[in-house]
């Protein structure tokens, strides 16, 4: 917006590009330039450059949120939640770095690391006599990945974890973004024996016919 966001074409274009990059990291789908946006963009670019190193050097960690049966108070399962143990910034929540990962190919190795680590942890708990179901969130970009079902089976076999002990949580909007491409993969994932959960149901405007499929 001229003149609020700049007095010349170069400044306006630079600020528009800043707003565009910020829009790609939000769920709104748009962004309006504001003072300070440039600094935020620099921070995001810095984090983006550090993410590959973080994955390769095990700076990512999984926390486990218990699922409790209300009427008995018994823990029946858990959900894995990823955190970044940043050497300079401390513990970072996924809403700060996952949108950056979604823009890059790094979401793939992180998803496989998360799946492998959660299943390995599940196996260790089984060995100690603690049998709990494990839920793992899948990135929207990973749903159409044709190698995903085979990777899941490989991790389960390597750790000797029963597939029905693992639940893969899929965001509804991810299914609706590419319904034809994702349906085949969901069928293949279902055939591995793992459980599937549709997260945030009702927000992706899917029809009941899609749910039935």
């Amino acid at each position: 917006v001229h003149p609020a966001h700049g007095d010349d074409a170069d400044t306006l274009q630079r600020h528009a590009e800043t707003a565009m990059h910020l829009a790609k990291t939000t769920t709104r789908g748009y962004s309006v330039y504001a003072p300070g946006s440039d600094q935020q963009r620099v921070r995001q670019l810095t984090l983006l450059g550090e993410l590959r190193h973080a994955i390769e050097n095990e700076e990512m960690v999984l926390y486990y949120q218990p699922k409790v049966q209300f009427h008995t108070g018994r823990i029946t399962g858990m959900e894995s939640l990823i955190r970044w143990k940043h050497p300079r910034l401390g513990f970072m929540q996924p809403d700060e770095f996952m949108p950056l990962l979604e823009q890059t190919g790094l979401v793939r190795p992180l998803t496989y690391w998360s799946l492998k680590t959660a299943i390995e942890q599940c196996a260790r708990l089984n060995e100690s006599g603690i049998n709990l179901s494990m839920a793992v969130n899948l990135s929207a970009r990973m749903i159409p990945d044709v190698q995903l079902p085979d990777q899941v089976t490989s991790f389960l076999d390597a750790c000797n974890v029963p597939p029905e002990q693992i639940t893969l949580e899929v965001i509804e909007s991810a299914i609706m973004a590419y319904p034809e491409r994702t349906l085949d993969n969901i069928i293949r994932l279902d055939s591995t024996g793992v459980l599937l959960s549709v997260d945030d149901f009702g927000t992706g405007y899917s029809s009941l016919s899609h749910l039935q499929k």
Side-chain angles (χ1 to χ4, degrees):
V1 177
H2 175 274
H5 298 160
D7 291 324
D8 57 82
D10 289 340
T11 301
L12 287 169
Q13 183 172 354
R14 187 173 68 252
H15 289 171
E17 288 177 350
T18 297
M20 176 191 69
H21 288 301
L22 289 175
K24 290 180 178 180
T25 66
T26 70
T27 57
R28 296 193 307 271
Y30 70 91
S31 179
V32 178
Y33 177 80
S37 296
D38 293 298
Q39 289 83 354
Q40 184 178 354
R41 179 60 183 161
V42 169
R43 173 184 168 86
Q44 289 179 336
L45 287 172
T46 301
L47 290 176
L48 195 57
E50 295 172 339
L51 275 168
R52 184 180 298 277
H53 178 272
I55 297 171
E56 293 174 350
N57 290 274
E58 299 185 356
E59 291 177 10
M60 298 296 178
V61 294
L62 290 183
Y63 278 61
Y64 298 97
Q65 177 172 285
K67 294 186 176 184
V68 180
Q69 197 173 54
F70 278 178
H71 65 279
T72 65
R74 186 170 63 90
I75 295 177
T76 59
M78 53 189 169
E79 178 178 357
S80 65
L81 304 171
I82 196 165
R83 298 289 184 268
W84 183 359
K85 191 178 180 181
H86 196 285
R88 178 170 46 86
L89 302 174
F91 281 93
M92 298 180 64
Q93 300 287 342
D95 58 354
E96 187 163 6
F97 60 85
M98 282 305 295
L100 299 175
L101 279 171
E102 296 284 357
Q103 299 177 41
T104 70
L106 293 176
V107 71
R108 193 169 188 270
L110 183 63
T111 298
Y112 286 147
W113 172 87
S114 177
L115 275 168
K116 182 174 181 287
T117 303
I119 292 172
E120 287 174 345
Q121 180 66 67
C122 195
R124 286 196 290 270
L125 288 171
N126 288 346
E127 291 170 0
S128 64
I130 302 174
N131 300 106
L132 297 172
S133 64
M134 172 77 78
V136 183
N137 291 287
L138 285 183
S139 163
R141 286 186 177 270
M142 290 300 297
I143 310 303
D145 190 327
V146 294
Q147 295 184 6
L148 181 61
D150 291 337
Q151 283 286 353
V152 170
T153 299
S154 174
F155 295 149
L156 291 169
D157 290 346
C159 296
N160 197 29
V161 171
E164 62 272 13
Q165 199 172 354
I166 303 298
T167 298
L168 302 180
E169 295 194 356
V170 182
I171 297 176
E172 183 199 19
S173 57
I175 301 173
M176 293 308 299
Y178 309 99
E180 299 305 322
R181 288 169 55 189
T182 57
L183 183 58
D184 179 60
N185 240 24
I186 287 174
I187 291 171
R188 291 179 60 210
L189 284 170
D190 183 58
S191 68
T192 67
V194 299
L195 303 179
L196 298 172
S197 171
V198 179
D199 211 359
D200 292 340
F201 179 72
T203 61
Y205 304 103
S206 63
S207 65
L208 290 179
S209 63
H210 278 108
L211 177 62
Q212 188 175 28
K213 289 182 181 179

